[in-house]
Amino acid sequence: MATRKSKVPDSQLGLPFDALAEPAAPVPEPDPTPAVQTPAAAAPEPPAELLAVGYEPPADTQLRAWEPAHWPVAPDWQPLVQRFFASATAQRLGRFVQSRLDAGAVVYPPLPLRALALTPLHAVRVVIIGQDPYHGPGQAEGLSFSVPPSQMLPPSLRNIFQEIARSRQQHPEYMPVDPDARAERGSLLRWARQGVLLLNSCLTVEQGQPNSHANQGWEALTASIVGAVAEAEQPVVFMLWGSHAQQRRQIIAESGGSKQHLVLMANHPSPLSALRPPTPFIGCNHFAKANRFLQSRGGELLRW
């Protein structure tokens, strides 16, 4: 689909990126002692039933170097991504990430831009915004809330699946069953391939340290991504769970495209807030509401 010419000043969409970025924390001086890098760990070979449904195992489980040119993205995302990586904000971010890698930090995921590779801009139908990648070994796979099939379900993802099951019982007409869902367990690749952009606000994290790469520059890129989707002609559902994701609501409203989009807000699916009033996640019916909205505008139902 074609995109409209932006009605929003570049600074509101994350362009120029340098104006939007939060003040970066100082980059630590590199340790002169040679760091011992963790040997590359290939992901285990997935079961045959996963390969049968098209699951793609990652070649590695962690980021090895700051090499944005080697991170694939869909062609219609490339202009936006290239502008970001040419900016001073991205150069500072790159120096920070590489300095942490040189110091021996374990950084996830191996492909920070994987969401943009799996879900082209023209195909986006739903946006789900997370905070930063999972920080446990082997958990992060470059998609918000998603983990590889070999991993235990994190609590937030368990609540997401609980809400889908609850909503399917109440609204079966809008909640078709995905026959591949059981095989893929916690991996949401099937969502990404249907047009669900699973986007974290911060795209890298260090092992065992949540938010360790926050406010280093990624937020400028991801704000721009949200703005680009909001500018698109096709109707899109934005699911904003928790106050962090809801900070992006202003970008959507100011894009001029909010009239054709559906913005759904609720608490974060974390066990700490999923049942908390006034907008609990459990019972929000976001998945059924999204499908009803998309169907009313001529789209197919997503198979959650």
Side-chain angles (χ1 to χ4, degrees):
M1 294 253 182
T3 57
R4 296 198 309 262
K5 184 178 179 180
S6 174
K7 299 178 183 178
V8 184
D10 281 350
S11 60
Q12 295 297 318
L13 294 179
L15 301 173
F17 298 98
D18 305 331
L20 185 66
E22 295 287 339
V27 177
E29 291 294 329
D31 188 338
T33 306
V36 179
Q37 282 284 341
T38 306
E45 183 69 17
E49 60 267 25
L50 285 177
L51 297 176
V53 298
Y55 177 76
E56 300 172 1
D60 200 353
T61 59
Q62 65 190 75
L63 185 67
R64 298 291 169 177
W66 179 260
E67 298 177 322
H70 294 168
W71 303 338
V73 300
D76 54 2
W77 284 121
Q78 287 177 359
L80 184 153
V81 169
Q82 289 169 358
R83 286 196 299 272
F84 172 71
F85 285 118
S87 69
T89 296
Q91 291 166 20
R92 288 192 298 271
L93 172 64
R95 289 194 295 270
F96 167 77
V97 173
Q98 190 60 55
S99 74
R100 299 303 299 135
L101 291 169
D102 292 343
V106 176
V107 177
Y108 304 122
L111 293 173
L113 304 182
R114 195 180 187 202
L116 304 186
L118 292 170
T119 311
L121 174 58
H122 72 271
V124 175
R125 304 168 69 195
V126 175
V127 179
I128 298 178
I129 300 175
Q131 192 160 345
D132 66 344
Y134 292 121
H135 53 86
Q139 286 185 307
E141 59 174 6
L143 305 171
S144 63
F145 296 101
S146 180
V147 294
S150 60
Q151 294 288 318
M152 296 285 290
L153 297 183
S156 293
L157 184 56
R158 195 179 308 123
N159 280 340
I160 289 171
F161 288 158
Q162 178 183 336
E163 172 59 19
I164 289 172
R166 192 205 60 79
S167 192
R168 182 168 286 129
Q169 287 184 335
Q170 288 195 351
H171 306 282
E173 68 277 21
Y174 295 119
M175 300 291 290
V177 175
D178 184 348
D180 298 333
R182 185 175 296 275
E184 295 193 15
R185 291 174 52 83
S187 178
L188 304 181
L189 262 70
R190 64 188 185 280
W191 292 11
R193 290 171 177 149
Q194 293 180 81
V196 181
L197 182 63
L198 297 163
L199 182 69
N200 281 314
S201 293
C202 179
L203 300 183
T204 54
V205 72
E206 293 180 26
Q207 181 173 297
Q209 300 183 50
N211 297 316
S212 50
H213 289 195
N215 299 325
Q216 294 292 341
W218 281 126
E219 293 84 357
L221 172 60
T222 54
S224 181
I225 290 168
V226 171
V229 174
E231 282 288 314
E233 293 288 350
Q234 71 267 23
V236 173
V237 180
F238 291 86
M239 296 185 182
L240 308 181
W241 301 333
S243 59
H244 186 87
Q246 289 162 15
Q247 293 173 8
R248 302 305 189 195
R249 186 183 184 188
Q250 182 179 357
I251 295 175
I252 301 166
E254 293 181 351
S255 71
S258 58
K259 291 182 179 180
Q260 79 252 22
H261 302 317
L262 176 64
V263 179
L264 300 173
M265 296 194 295
N267 288 353
H268 193 277
S270 163
L272 297 176
S273 58
L275 293 171
R276 185 185 302 163
T279 53
F281 176 80
I282 300 299
C284 69
N285 282 317
H286 281 187
F287 301 98
K289 289 177 179 178
N291 269 350
R292 182 171 59 190
F293 173 82
L294 294 171
Q295 186 183 64
S296 71
R297 281 144 180 84
E300 295 183 1
L301 298 178
L302 293 168
R303 293 184 177 272
W304 302 108

